[in-house]
Amino acid sequence: SAVISQKPSRDICQRGTSLTIQCQVDSQVTMMFWYRQQPGQSLTLIATANQGSEATYESGFVIDKFPISRPNLTFSTLTVSNMSPEDSSIYLCSVDVNEQFFGPGTRLTVL
Amino acid sequence: GENVEQHPSTLSVQEGDSAVIKCTYSDSASNYFPWYKQELGKRPQLIIDIRSNVGEKKDQRIAVTLNKTAKHFSLHITETQPEDSAVYFCAAEGNKLVFGAGTILRVKS
């Protein structure tokens, strides 16, 4: 199993600003995943973060908007840049340790 | 890429009745099919999963069936209880995990 924590749990931000979300796992994992869950919607994969290499982004998501860091095997950050109200969502990090475990999520509201 | 369709979008059942949620997928290379339960304000949690070399798996009141030929899989919950009320997501994994749109299950007591 894996225990995942995220910071912050929620935030309210002004448009045009950026927010960095932190994800910490209690064990070393090769890949960490970042998902977005818009209100009332399903989960959409933003990118996969590997330690020591650039993140792999899914269609519709770009590095300039969602830069990701992966400095070690237990930690990753996702930045939501130049935010607009359309970025209001829950952002979840996830790891695959025999099954997919999710962090508690970061609820972001952009005004 | 993979596309996962999930039906119904909402499902209301009486306590004690059974609930069935169905998903279809498009990528024949997908080989892992998990189901997640997400309660309001909580993270998704795995409730059951099945791999492509198995046709059916059961865990107490929950079962999943997989038909690889038809590319569909289903979640069956028997003897539903009010605490089963939540959003349920199916997913299919080939080279990445792709989620269905979700089903809101309401169990009325």
Side-chain angles (χ1 to χ4, degrees):
Chain A
S1 69
V3 177
I4 306 172
S5 59
Q6 280 184 240
K7 284 197 271 189
S9 58
R10 57 178 64 225
D11 207 341
I12 301 172
C13 301
Q14 296 297 319
R15 68 172 67 211
T17 64
S18 297
L19 176 72
T20 295
I21 302 167
Q22 300 178 10
C23 179
Q24 180 77 50
V25 189
D26 68 340
S27 58
Q28 294 184 337
V29 292
T30 305
M31 291 189 289
M32 295 177 76
F33 306 91
W34 286 98
Y35 286 86
R36 182 175 73 182
Q37 187 173 29
Q38 294 179 303
Q41 303 293 314
S42 184
L43 291 89
T44 301
L45 182 63
I46 298 171
T48 302
N50 293 304
Q51 195 266 335
S53 63
E54 282 202 3
T56 303
Y57 288 82
E58 297 300 313
S59 176
F61 298 97
V62 294
I63 188 171
D64 289 348
K65 176 68 176 177
F66 297 101
I68 287 171
S69 79
R70 184 78 201 275
N72 58 54
L73 291 173
T74 63
F75 187 80
S76 179
T77 67
L78 170 77
T79 298
V80 186
S81 303
N82 189 23
M83 288 184 286
S84 66
E86 293 71 39
D87 294 321
S88 297
S89 281
I90 297 172
Y91 293 86
L92 301 108
C93 68
S94 173
V95 301
D96 191 335
V97 182
N98 297 319
E99 66 180 70
Q100 198 99 350
F101 291 90
F102 289 89
T106 295
R107 184 179 295 272
L108 171 61
T109 302
V110 184
L111 303 177
Chain B
E2 177 68 278
N3 181 49
V4 179
E5 295 193 356
Q6 182 172 346
H7 300 281
S9 56
T10 61
L11 179 60
S12 290
V13 300
Q14 204 67 35
E15 182 178 1
D17 287 350
S18 296
V20 180
I21 303 170
K22 299 182 179 182
C23 288
T24 60
Y25 62 99
S26 61
D27 187 355
S28 56
S30 290
N31 55 16
Y32 176 61
F33 308 91
W35 286 88
Y36 295 88
K37 176 183 180 182
Q38 187 175 31
E39 297 176 344
L40 191 62
K42 302 275 185 71
R43 74 190 80 186
Q45 293 203 305
L46 181 74
I47 55 172
I48 196 166
D49 57 9
I50 193 166
R51 297 191 183 272
S52 60
N53 57 344
V54 176
E56 184 174 356
K57 184 176 178 180
K58 190 173 182 181
D59 182 3
Q60 299 183 345
R61 296 186 298 109
I62 295 173
V64 57
T65 59
L66 171 65
N67 182 329
K68 281 225 76 178
T69 303
K71 294 186 197 163
H72 65 70
F73 56 113
S74 301
L75 177 72
H76 305 252
I77 305 174
T78 59
E79 301 172 29
T80 53
Q81 301 166 3
E83 49 266 37
D84 294 329
S85 295
V87 181
Y88 291 81
F89 294 100
C90 65
E93 185 178 62
N95 60 354
K96 65 176 181 179
L97 198 60
V98 177
F99 286 82
T103 296
I104 300 172
L105 174 64
R106 296 190 183 94
V107 180
K108 297 175 284 187
S109 57

